[in-house]
Amino acid sequence: MQEKVIQIAGSITVDELAQALGLSVTSLVGELFKQGIVATINQRLDFDTASLIIDELKVEGVRLEKKNTSVQVSEVHRELSDHAVDRPPVVAVMGHVDHGKTTLLDTLLNKKTVEGEAGGITQHISAYQLEHDDRLITFLDTPGHEAFAAIRQHGAMLTDIVVIVVAADDGVKPQTVEAIKFAQSANAKIIVAINKIDREGADIPRTMADLAQNGLTPEEWGGDITMVPISAKRGDNLDKLLDMILLTADLEELKADVDIPSEGLVIESHMETGKGSVVNLLVTGGELKTGEFIVAGSSYAKIRTMVDFKGRPKGKALPSTPVTVTGFKELPNFGDKFLEVADEKTARKMALLNANASSDAAASANVTSTDLLRMMNVADNSKTFNVIIKGDVLGSVTSVVDSLKLIDTHGEVTLNIVSTGVGDVTENDVYMAAGDNTVIYGFNINVPTNISKMAARDGVSIRNYKVIYELLDDAKSSMEELLDAEIVEEEVGEMKIKGVFRTEKSSIIAGGEVLTGKVAAKLGDSEAKVMGRVYRKKELIGEVEVESVQKEKMAVPELVAGETGGIAFNLEKRLVIEIDDRVKFFTRELKRKKL
Ligand code: GDP
């Protein structure tokens, strides 16, 4: 695998670096926080900071390079090398419901791919490629505008060209307007297919006027939007539509690098019995091959099988190619970016980072500042108790989670629920827990022997309980262990010095009267030594430690208020005690706080 080079001109934003590394912004912010850098999504990092992070993350196959121009990295990242090659255009079909999107995609597919083949393709496919004039065009099924919008928020460029289908007998409708807005905001080129021209009520000029009113002026009227009247059902003018797509693509000079680690987007994913996860990917860069390790969001895969949209095995896939792969450990999400990495270890690590981040910023496609703040708090690992909860049924998982959240840590320890689930502890749970001090709590479940062994090897603690209170007690004491220990001082007594018998470098023997409390060398079972602060007229002049206590030249355990006796003090620093000095005795212990 070749190295991926991220060029940095001066600085790089957190967002850009996350993208370039194929990480989510939240996970990168978390990593930064661990390095003591509090960063927001738009924060700029200098070259050294970015290098430090990459080293720390141990991301392999990525190298930073200083670039001495003013080009921003987001452009640099997409900027192509001199040997970038042409790639087919990626086209999405959008428009109002019932205006003929599905019919158009189906007709094109059958017209162009079925020739010479028996049966054709009947099952639903999310993306396909067809050939026109000996060139390939990639079509994406429209997964709904919301999904497209979500992808855009991830900053990914999914489509080069959007074909907006408008029924000539119905005109511009709300979803048509939405599609136009989407295409414009995604910076995609727009081509309009005025459909259903075979229909009686079809009115092409009126439809064009409708479109012009919505900002799409036809070329015929001096605008820059190509409009092709078609009948998706009968197949009229579809070749013209394809010609226009290729022409538009030519003007865009669509290219991609192939000698970089492969990357792209998840365009569909589902489970299939016997195969496990079946995931459709669109390659956008590099050359995807079977056997490679790729990370997509919180999941990763060693690509086991790869087939094209017709189900034919494909050993490698170039940019703009849609493929279906198996081998993902878990289902990645629609719109997740995938990135090739060097090995399983890196894949696992990056997936884990993304998982931790997304479980925290859960369910929000957009990272808000609140998410970031919360994420930052969580990232301070010293005070974060990471847990994975597994239970026998959903109800028990919920009650464990709810009860854990009720443990009041006075804001001193953050409980970070990395993941929850029903069923036994799995390999994946252990992977997720490894290296992050995450405790796996099981409630009424089994821990298979191989999993216990794996956990022991990876230093992961799996704690299985059948009684919820015991589980909660354990969690509470584990959180207490994370609390800072504090220094606790307790007053013991006070003495007035009445005579000094011997002063040496590291010891003094003096006598006096105990005014309050008592004085002793040791208090009960406590290991703590008894110390004394020496005051001369209210001014603190030094600290001593009680070595032994005497009364009438006999060693005694203690002297109480009203008694007179002698004390042997140990000195840490040279000190002279005088008559009339007062010594206030105390113990000093390091105590762990309690919740
Ligand atoms: P979608 O909701 O945009 O995917 O629309 P469909 O492709 O499902 O089409 C909706 C209806 O319009 C279906 O009954 C199609 O057969 C019909 N339809 C689509 N294109 C044409 C066309 O060019 N001419 C005619 N007459 N009917 C069409």
Side-chain angles (χ1 to χ4, degrees), residues 219-375:
E219 278 168 344
E220 291 90 323
W221 300 357
D224 60 354
I225 303 291
T226 306
M227 298 196 181
V228 188
I230 62 162
S231 166
K233 201 167 174 181
R234 286 203 318 222
D236 299 1
N237 241 357
L238 295 192
D239 277 336
K240 170 93 187 291
L241 179 65
L242 296 178
D243 287 343
M244 288 303 148
I245 288 172
L246 287 178
L247 193 69
T248 307
D250 286 341
L251 294 174
E252 291 294 295
E253 291 185 34
L254 302 171
K255 286 180 183 296
D257 274 310
V258 289
D259 53 357
I260 56 168
S262 58
E263 57 184 24
L265 292 161
V266 173
I267 51 177
E268 198 187 276
S269 68
H270 64 274
M271 295 299 283
E272 255 175 52
T273 35
K275 285 187 187 165
S277 61
V278 175
V279 178
N280 292 356
L281 302 173
L282 177 73
V283 181
T284 58
E287 200 177 24
L288 187 66
K289 293 186 255 335
T290 44
E292 279 179 2
F293 286 98
I294 56 172
V295 183
S298 56
S299 187
Y300 73 93
K302 176 173 185 172
I303 299 177
R304 204 163 56 219
T305 63
M306 182 157 80
V307 295
D308 71 2
F309 69 95
K310 288 180 189 166
R312 293 175 304 200
K314 224 168 155 56
K316 56 182 186 179
L318 289 165
S320 295
T321 313
V323 285
T324 304
V325 303
T326 60
F328 268 96
K329 304 277 169 204
E330 279 167 43
L331 284 184
N333 293 321
F334 172 82
D336 278 347
K337 253 183 139 175
F338 77 81
L339 188 72
E340 182 193 348
V341 293
D343 51 28
E344 177 147 21
K345 218 173 116 210
T346 314
R348 199 190 301 160
K349 172 146 192 177
M350 287 174 72
L352 183 66
L353 281 169
N354 285 337
N356 284 348
S358 65
S359 75
D360 196 61
S364 80
N366 215 345
V367 185
T368 65
S369 55
T370 329
D371 288 332
L372 285 174
L373 279 174
R374 205 176 46 195
M375 174 72 208

Side-chain angles (χ1 to χ4, degrees), residues 96-103 195-196 198-199 231-233:
H96 198 69
V97 66
D98 278 345
H99 279 199
K101 301 179 292 288
T102 315
T103 310
N195 192 28
K196 304 195 188 183
D198 58 301
R199 280 253 177 117
S231 166
K233 201 167 174 181

